[in-house]
Amino acid sequence: MQPVPCTVCVVQVAKEAEVDAIHPGYGFLSENATFARKCAEAGITFVGPLPETIDVRAQAFAAICPTHASLMASDNAQLVACTRQISYPGS
């Protein structure tokens, strides 16, 4: 498995390829406000929420479930309890 490229590298490659827009897909890049900002700074349309929206969503989740940032893969029970607290679908 290849490592996930850094956001600066992705934006640099996009600039070199003269792309107009980037759709980040789901997960890693779509939830990265810094990446969305870097796209805007480079004149590339980020097909997704505004960086400010991504920040607000992250802050809201952190306020509801403050331990999420410190959870490790081995803390599944704690993560499940947190998702139940916020009524995450499927919990």
Side-chain angles (χ1 to χ4, degrees):
M1 179 153 91
Q2 296 292 328
V4 178
C6 71
T7 58
V8 174
C9 301
V10 172
V11 172
Q12 183 61 39
V13 169
K15 284 174 59 175
E16 291 172 8
E18 299 179 4
V19 302
D20 297 322
I22 294 177
H23 186 288
Y26 297 96
F28 174 68
L29 293 177
S30 67
E31 299 171 3
N32 190 319
T34 301
F35 178 65
R37 284 187 186 92
K38 294 289 183 194
C39 287
E41 290 168 6
I44 299 170
T45 300
F46 178 81
V47 182
L50 296 172
E52 297 80 11
T53 303
I54 297 169
D55 285 337
V56 168
R57 185 174 54 209
Q59 291 169 5
F61 185 73
I64 293 169
C65 188
T67 61
H68 86 282
S70 63
L71 292 175
M72 301 300 285
S74 62
D75 295 328
N76 288 339
Q78 189 177 6
L79 181 58
V80 168
C82 182
T83 59
R84 286 189 176 132
Q85 176 186 347
I86 63 173
S87 301
Y88 187 78
S91 63

